[in-house]
Amino acid sequence: IEKSGTYRVTWTHHPGECHPMKGEFRGPEDVATVHDGRVIASTGGLMMLVPNHEKFSKGSKLLLIDGTTYKEFKLQNLTGEFLPLGLGVKQIKPSLYLVFVVNRRSQGNRIEMFKWNPLEGAVMSRYDFVTTKQMGISGTTNDVTVVSEYQFYVTNDQNYGSVGAIAQIFGIPLCKVVFWDNGKAYDVAKGHVSPNGIAISPDGDLLWMAEPFQNQIHEFKVDPKSHKLVLQKTIDVHTAPDNIEVVSENELLVGCHPNIIQFAKHLSSPDLIRSPSQVLRLTRRTKQADWSIAQLFADDGKLISGSSVGVLGGKNKDILYVGSGIDKLVYCYLDGKKKT
């Protein structure tokens, strides 16, 4: 009960002037920053969990956000159901990004693998995909982080059936992290309750994974040859962490659910039941030092409900974007001033 946040009170604290982004989308569950300050967002992937979701959904899409406006990506070579959730973005060169997306399709999740040239605007092309069966996962996937063109880490957050649901509720560690290596899958972190957000450091040396039901973030050392994960430390964040944005190896932004039980209720009735939101900033001086935790953003649910991610964007990285599971996207000016 303590870790669920049932009795936790969230007081609204905004780092500057904040506004909801206008547009025909809902549920920007994951957001990632690119080199020029633009951000990519996945939307609509969790709407299938909402009763009568047709009433609330505004479609499932990927967005390219520039400042306070956006364009919907044209997704080439993508067919079938598309319910995007977690996403991973990696720059290979100025004219090439890899964008991997968890597709929570009803006939089995898979990782959709896209290539994007930022000079061409809101167009990206899928070049491959990997199914949960190929990855050896008998359940759902949540988030992905890119290593190379055919390599990634992915989190398995729940197993199928009543066993999976019971395990998540009672904290039974049946889930895992999988490393996909160009046709082969390896279980690299087993025995976790519900692995959620996952992110790798720019140099590939460290990896972080969030466990919301445990109120923890795990930091792993990545073996450069085998890509196996060795647990270095576990960070107690005293809230339910969701997606992780790596600013540097010594700075993380984490979207959180202060009251995860309230978030579950919010899923059942999005407009009537609101859920508090929170973004934490974790910093340290060196890799060996302990992490310091500060609250960058908090909201009682009125402005944004059920936050899932926080990233810094804008040309000077002075805009905080806060995404949510099934609600809206909010942007905040960190210096407190609206841009002109």
Side-chain angles (χ1 to χ4, degrees):
I1 292 178
E2 178 185 352
K3 291 182 179 179
S4 72
T6 302
Y7 302 112
R8 190 177 293 136
V9 177
T10 300
W11 301 101
T12 294
H13 162 72
H14 297 164
E17 186 179 327
C18 298
H19 303 275
M21 183 168 287
K22 297 178 181 179
E24 289 300 309
F25 65 90
R26 187 159 184 167
E29 200 275 341
D30 205 0
V31 184
T33 308
V34 298
H35 74 283
D36 60 5
R38 290 183 292 177
V39 300
I40 298 174
S42 60
T43 74
L46 283 183
M47 296 309 297
M48 292 292 288
L49 299 180
V50 179
N52 301 315
H53 59 88
E54 298 87 354
K55 174 183 175 183
F56 301 98
S57 179
K58 294 186 178 181
S60 300
K61 57 195 80 171
L62 298 183
L63 307 179
L64 178 61
I65 300 170
D66 188 355
T68 62
T69 62
Y70 74 91
K71 293 181 180 179
E72 181 180 345
F73 271 104
K74 179 181 179 181
L75 304 176
Q76 299 175 335
N77 302 322
L78 178 69
T79 58
E81 188 178 29
F82 186 52
L83 296 173
L85 196 65
L87 61 85
V89 176
K90 182 179 179 66
Q91 184 179 18
I92 304 301
K93 57 184 180 180
S95 61
L96 177 62
Y97 276 82
L98 301 178
V99 181
F100 292 2
V101 184
V102 171
N103 184 357
R104 293 284 286 254
R105 56 201 291 274
S106 57
Q107 297 302 312
N109 297 180
R110 65 189 188 193
I111 305 301
E112 311 287 0
M113 302 157 74
F114 297 91
K115 290 181 179 179
W116 175 53
N117 181 349
L119 303 177
E120 296 179 352
V123 179
M124 67 172 69
S125 179
R126 191 189 72 169
Y127 65 92
D128 204 353
F129 68 87
V130 182
T131 67
T132 47
K133 183 177 181 180
Q134 290 174 285
M135 293 182 277
I137 295 174
S138 180
T140 54
T141 51
N142 188 285
D143 197 15
V144 60
T145 191
V146 184
V147 176
S148 69
E149 191 172 356
Y150 291 99
Q151 294 177 314
F152 59 80
Y153 291 92
V154 62
T155 53
N156 156 224
D157 62 350
Q158 186 173 337
N159 291 328
Y160 287 133
S162 57
V163 172
I166 291 171
Q168 196 172 66
I169 292 170
F170 290 99
I172 303 172
L174 299 181
C175 293
K176 60 187 178 181
V177 175
V178 171
F179 176 65
W180 178 259
D181 184 12
N182 194 19
K184 295 183 179 180
Y186 301 92
D187 294 346
V188 291
K190 299 176 70 174
H192 293 278
V193 175
S194 186
N196 195 293
I198 192 168
I200 197 166
S201 62
D203 63 3
D205 186 50
L206 296 173
L207 180 142
W208 296 272
M209 182 266 283
E211 277 207 89
F213 291 96
Q214 305 304 103
N215 286 193
Q216 293 176 333
I217 296 173
H218 304 294
E219 180 177 292
F220 298 92
K221 174 76 172 177
V222 179
D223 186 296
K225 293 184 179 180
S226 69
H227 296 281
K228 292 182 179 179
L229 303 179
V230 179
L231 183 63
Q232 298 291 291
K233 62 183 67 177
T234 294
I235 311 158
D236 292 308
V237 293
H238 307 289
T239 185
D242 201 320
N243 290 307
I244 302 168
E245 173 78 357
V246 179
V247 180
S248 72
E249 65 182 20
N250 295 323
E251 182 177 357
L252 309 174
L253 294 186
V254 186
C256 301
H257 303 281
N259 187 332
I260 202 165
I261 299 299
Q262 189 69 13
F263 176 65
K265 295 178 181 178
H266 171 59
L267 288 174
S268 69
S269 187
D271 291 339
L272 293 178
I273 301 176
R274 308 298 287 171
S275 177
S277 296
Q278 185 181 44
V279 176
L280 298 182
R281 172 181 266 157
L282 279 64
T283 57
R284 62 184 176 185
R285 292 185 177 181
T286 66
K287 285 185 181 181
Q288 292 71 38
D290 292 333
W291 288 95
S292 295
I293 303 173
Q295 182 173 263
L296 182 59
F297 173 94
D299 191 83
D300 60 8
K302 292 186 176 66
L303 177 64
I304 180 171
S305 199
S307 61
S308 53
V309 63
V311 305
L312 298 178
K315 293 181 179 179
N316 298 311
K317 298 295 178 71
D318 53 2
I319 301 176
L320 173 68
Y321 295 94
V322 184
S324 61
I326 60 169
D327 200 30
K328 58 180 74 80
L329 179 75
V330 162
Y331 57 91
C332 301
Y333 299 112
L334 294 183
D335 62 4
K337 298 178 182 179
K338 185 175 181 179
K339 309 302 171 191
T340 58

